[in-house]
Amino acid sequence: MSDDARWLSAVWMSDDPAEKADVTQAIDAVLDRDRAEADRERRTRIRSLVALALLLPVVLWAAAHGVTPLVRGAYALMAVGVAVIGTAEWLYLEWSKQALPGPVDARSQLQKTAFMLTRQARLVTTSAIWASPAFIGAALIGAWLYRERTHAEAIAVWTITAAGWLAMGLGTMAVGARLTRRREQLEQLLAELE
Amino acid sequence: MNITIWEPSNCAQAQSRALSDDTLVRNRPSRQTTCSVTAELDDKGQFADLMAAYAAPIRRLCATYAESPADREDLFQDIFLAVWRALPGFRRQASVRTWLYRIAHNVALTRRTRDRHRQSRESPLDQETAAPTEMDFRRLALKRAIAAMAPGDRTLTLLWLEGLSATEIEDVTGIRAATVAVRLSRIRKRLHPIEVSR
């Protein structure tokens, strides 16, 4: 470093903000956040597991003991849909974890995070397709109700199913768009860095 | 659980000590101690050492990446949270300093893309000491110049001002040392008005 550069560095380092803050408090704050985030993640996973553990056996039982082949087929499709949704959620969380900043160089980090965001965006924007077995199964239950029970019940089931499917599709499209925007910003950042 | 650590893992002591990077690296092999404490306590000791030694440079980094004091504190915690989580995977062959700066800049750069929509109207760089000295004015000018840079240039400038060599900067950013040198010389020209003001 030349004298001028040393002087600039000295100006920069003359700011010692650490003196203004208590390190012990900062450590506690970081460790508290770590615990809180770990708890939140654990709670999310437990909730998903409990939902799957409660839903899957019921749907599988219905698929095995349904009154007609149509009902059994419908519940079997719903079971497949629920399993796919569970797997997709697990994948999404794993990719989110992998995208977190770590001790690699900035270029590799930005590339990795952008790659993970691409994967996540693709996963969420196609959710209406891969989750379709669950909704088609529900719609088939509606078809059985239409044939065997009342039209009103069938229409209610179809309406709820269509609304759920549409809401999921729109919600995940919005999430996908947000992830894509982030990826584009990261790529722009990568270009600026290079 | 028996584990080997490089410092006595007395957290209270460790937290009160501000160790330089060199001290951290040099002391490790010579002061190895076998302790029968939990791995977590050991990690906490190392973490406290790291935080005590690097709080100042990381806070300086946060001041250029985050707008408001609250955002700066958030970023500071995000960085050390990432450090805490990466600590078990830290390989002793690597330099502590470049390892930590890698994490810090990665957190700061990736966080930018999440925070772009939330722009604060606060002017954080104006929040300096009550009775500013000549040095404070220069530092403020430098901070403003850095904050106005593109993220890539800002990263290189911050690392350079913290005293990292071109090779170390290559280690942190992944940009070739030769390119780093060229870009830094261009940045130095832009910072020249601050240099000549002394």
Side-chain angles (χ1 to χ4, degrees):
Chain A
M1 261 195 193
S2 68
D3 277 356
D4 283 347
R6 256 187 220 111
W7 180 81
L8 266 186
S9 192
V11 170
W12 178 248
M13 297 219 206
S14 65
D15 187 18
D16 193 1
E19 286 173 3
K20 298 167 197 162
D22 182 356
V23 174
T24 315
Q25 267 182 12
I27 292 168
D28 289 344
V30 170
L31 296 183
D32 284 349
R33 262 187 66 178
D34 182 52
R35 269 190 292 273
E37 283 185 19
D39 283 350
R40 199 169 50 230
E41 194 190 318
R42 199 167 36 244
R43 273 200 301 273
T44 309
R45 284 186 191 271
I46 288 172
R47 255 201 310 271
S48 304
L49 277 176
V50 168
L52 273 179
L54 289 176
L55 205 61
L56 261 182
V58 173
V59 181
L60 284 173
W61 185 88
H65 300 95
V67 285
T68 66
L70 179 68
V71 171
R72 286 197 290 275
Y75 278 112
L77 272 175
M78 284 168 79
V80 170
V82 169
V84 169
I85 291 170
T87 311
E89 193 188 350
W90 177 80
L91 270 177
Y92 186 87
L93 286 175
E94 281 305 304
W95 290 341
S96 300
K97 262 189 176 173
Q98 286 177 37
L100 287 176
V104 292
D105 66 75
R107 272 184 67 218
S108 310
Q109 179 67 60
L110 293 176
Q111 281 166 348
K112 189 172 125 191
T113 307
F115 176 69
M116 288 300 163
L117 286 173
T118 309
R119 273 182 163 186
Q120 285 180 304
R122 206 174 295 147
L123 183 75
V124 294
T125 47
T126 53
S127 64
I129 297 165
W130 48 254
S132 61
F135 294 103
I136 293 170
L140 288 178
I141 298 290
W144 178 78
L145 288 171
Y146 188 83
R147 215 191 300 164
E148 305 291 333
R149 299 273 198 88
T150 64
H151 290 187
E153 280 176 304
I155 289 167
V157 169
W158 282 333
T159 308
I160 293 168
T161 306
W165 204 348
L166 190 70
M168 185 191 193
L170 291 177
T172 52
M173 289 290 264
V175 174
R178 191 160 42 82
L179 292 171
T180 305
R181 243 189 336 270
R182 265 200 75 198
R183 187 204 14 104
E184 285 167 358
Q185 287 173 348
L186 281 175
E187 282 170 354
Q188 194 189 334
L189 208 55
L190 193 59
E192 282 170 10
L193 197 68
E194 285 168 339
Chain B
M1 184 181 171
N2 278 338
I3 40 162
T4 304
I5 58 166
W6 42 272
E7 280 289 301
S9 77
N10 181 333
C11 290
Q13 271 181 7
Q15 286 165 15
S16 63
R17 247 186 350 247
L19 293 174
S20 72
D21 183 18
D22 285 349
T23 321
L24 273 170
V25 179
R26 246 186 287 119
N27 282 349
R28 245 180 275 149
S30 59
R31 296 177 66 183
Q32 280 191 343
T33 324
T34 305
C35 270
S36 51
V37 288
T38 64
E40 197 188 335
L41 190 62
D42 176 29
D43 280 350
K44 273 184 192 168
Q46 293 182 29
F47 183 60
D49 284 352
L50 277 174
M51 212 160 176
Y54 290 100
I58 298 303
R59 281 198 190 276
R60 284 195 287 269
L61 178 146
C62 295
T64 55
Y65 274 102
E67 300 258 316
S68 67
D71 279 351
R72 265 180 262 162
E73 190 55 36
D74 261 7
L75 176 57
F76 180 79
Q77 286 189 12
D78 279 353
I79 289 170
F80 276 104
L81 188 59
V83 168
W84 167 247
R85 286 173 180 173
L87 201 55
F90 175 60
R91 287 185 182 82
R92 296 290 156 84
Q93 307 94 292
S95 148
V96 182
R97 187 160 74 152
T98 50
W99 177 81
L100 195 126
Y101 280 140
R102 276 175 169 189
I103 297 175
H105 282 273
N106 286 340
V107 172
L109 286 169
T110 51
R111 193 185 138 100
R112 258 178 69 86
T113 61
R114 281 195 310 233
D115 289 352
R116 241 173 217 186
H117 58 280
R118 134 169 105 89
Q119 293 287 335
S120 167
R121 282 191 203 143
E122 207 172 342
S123 178
L125 300 178
D126 296 335
Q127 293 152 5
E128 289 290 312
T129 50
T133 62
E134 184 85 354
M135 196 64 144
D136 291 330
F137 282 121
R138 282 170 186 160
R139 195 171 54 236
L140 188 60
L142 186 57
K143 272 187 184 177
R144 283 194 170 136
I146 295 169
M149 287 175 182
D153 284 351
R154 190 189 305 174
T155 304
L156 297 183
T157 311
L158 289 174
L159 292 167
W160 171 66
L161 286 172
E162 292 293 344
L164 273 76
S165 66
T167 321
E168 285 175 313
I169 295 176
E170 178 182 359
D171 241 20
V172 175
T173 59
I175 304 172
R176 283 186 302 123
T179 313
V180 169
V182 172
R183 284 179 69 173
L184 279 177
S185 84
R186 250 184 266 149
I187 291 167
R188 285 274 311 279
K189 276 183 195 145
R190 263 188 280 161
L191 295 176
H192 189 63
I194 303 171
E195 284 183 31
V196 295
S197 70
R198 66 172 162 151

